[in-house]
Amino acid sequence: MKIKHLAATGAALLLGGALIVNPMRYIAVCYDGIVMWAESVVPSLFPFMIVTALLTAAGFTEKLSSPLAKLSKKVKLPPAALPLFIMSCLSGYPAGSRCVAEHCKNCPSSADDAKKLGVMCSTSGPLFIVGTVGVKAYGDSRSGYVLLAACLGTVAITSVIYCLFSRTSPQKAPSIGRQNRASALSDIYFGGVSAVLTAGSFIVFFYTLSAVLSDLKLFALPELTLAPMLGRECSAALCAGCIEATGGCFALARAGGFFALPLTGFLITFGGASIVLQQMCYLEKCGVKYSFFILFKLAQGAICFAVLCAVQLIFAI
């Protein structure tokens, strides 16, 4: 059995056991996770799930890819990189990965190109970063825009650098199948609802799992290790956020301090276990490996953290 299957089985058994031992505690936590998903994630995710699916069905990616083919080739980017990145930036997790999976299905690509597109189109969106994290968590849209610029800029620059220094592979010709408009439209809406519900199930599961791990003191060692530098509240919020990022962002905002905003940038850019697994549900089908994707996202998160620390020092935010 693969390590990821063992980890998933262990997490499910741990959560199931906790629910049996202390049902009232974790039913309440689960309910809080559902409320957080409904209030903070659905409004920023569902509309763009539909918009990006409509654009993909209308051939937006292929139409914009052709004029950019020569420019993309110079920086070793797949031709569809820019339109897919734009849709990812607009919609956020995990819609960007869903767009990559749809593109790879319609326009068969090499595993190398899928890796490039996977890390480039792995971004949160403006409604979540500015609206949910900036306004709702920090009470300040300026913080949201700073986070947005840092997170998207980090993902774009690191992805381009990776493409420049990675090997190239031949791009296969598109083979897009035609669909009946009525059935395509129903598929788009059904797919959007299904994707949002899937994202919600990940968020609620990992939000509850994070509470279980915290109650069992399994975060104690990393919290003690990080507390002298980050502070006790920020280290606890970071550990929880590495399991479920949305709750971690709110906890960091409540904790405050110099490192709160940079750590929030790290969580948004990395995504935590919940968001990483949501994306891999789509990217694994394209040949993207867990180890590569997780390490790349950790590196992007660390760079975003450093960028935000520098920005705070320079501009005294």
Side-chain angles (χ1 to χ4, degrees):
M1 188 180 290
K2 295 181 179 180
I3 294 177
K4 62 183 179 182
H5 293 155
L6 287 171
T9 302
L13 289 173
L14 185 63
L15 183 56
L19 287 169
I20 293 171
V21 173
N22 193 355
M24 297 308 296
R25 153 72 174 153
Y26 297 112
I27 287 173
V29 172
C30 184
Y31 176 78
D32 290 341
I34 293 172
V35 171
M36 180 181 67
W37 165 72
E39 292 183 348
S40 302
V41 179
V42 174
S44 63
L45 180 60
F46 179 69
F48 286 109
M49 278 289 193
I50 302 301
V51 169
T52 53
L54 285 169
L55 289 173
T56 302
F60 171 78
T61 305
E62 290 74 32
K63 290 174 183 176
L64 193 57
S65 297
S66 299
L68 298 171
K70 291 184 179 179
L71 177 62
S72 299
K73 189 175 181 179
K74 289 182 180 179
V75 290
K76 299 183 180 179
L77 283 169
L82 182 58
L84 288 172
F85 178 69
I86 291 172
M87 288 194 287
S88 177
C89 290
L90 289 174
S91 54
Y93 303 121
S97 299
R98 185 178 177 225
C99 289
V100 171
E102 287 296 316
H103 171 74
C104 290
K105 182 174 69 175
N106 292 330
C107 307
S109 305
S110 68
D112 289 333
D113 283 346
K115 287 164 64 176
K116 294 174 183 178
L117 293 172
V119 295
M120 174 170 276
C121 301
S122 172
T123 67
S124 188
L127 285 181
F128 178 79
I129 298 178
V130 179
T132 300
V133 179
V135 176
K136 291 188 70 173
Y138 280 89
D140 178 11
S141 61
R142 186 183 67 166
S143 298
Y145 284 112
V146 171
L147 284 167
L148 180 67
C151 294
L152 297 188
T154 297
V155 171
I157 293 170
T158 54
S159 299
V160 170
I161 291 173
Y162 168 70
C163 290
L164 284 170
F165 289 94
S166 66
R167 62 179 181 175
T168 57
S169 56
Q171 184 79 15
K172 296 182 180 180
S175 56
I176 304 170
R178 294 182 179 273
Q179 292 182 335
N180 176 270
R181 288 189 176 185
S183 63
L185 187 60
S186 64
D187 289 344
I188 285 169
Y189 278 88
F190 178 79
V193 172
S194 176
V196 171
L197 290 175
T198 301
S201 67
F202 272 99
I203 290 169
V204 174
F205 177 85
F206 282 97
Y207 183 80
T208 310
L209 178 64
S210 176
V212 172
L213 295 175
S214 179
D215 291 347
L216 293 175
K217 307 300 180 185
L218 296 181
F219 291 148
L221 182 58
E223 285 179 15
L224 287 172
T225 305
L226 295 170
M229 180 179 69
L230 303 178
R232 184 176 177 181
E233 291 186 5
C234 275
S235 61
L238 175 63
C239 291
C242 284
I243 304 298
E244 199 292 303
T246 305
C249 290
F250 277 90
L252 283 167
R254 290 192 297 269
F258 176 82
F259 288 110
L261 196 69
L263 288 173
T264 301
F266 168 81
L267 288 182
I268 293 172
T269 306
F270 168 51
S274 173
I275 292 174
V276 166
L277 290 176
Q278 288 177 51
Q279 295 175 93
M280 285 305 298
C281 286
Y282 299 104
L283 297 177
E284 188 178 22
K285 301 172 185 176
C286 306
V288 179
K289 294 183 178 180
Y290 276 82
S291 56
F292 165 80
F293 189 72
I294 291 170
L295 288 174
F296 204 100
K297 293 304 297 178
L298 280 169
Q300 287 180 331
I303 292 170
C304 185
F305 170 81
V307 167
L308 285 167
C309 284
V311 167
Q312 289 197 139
L313 287 171
I314 295 170
F315 297 102
I317 294 177

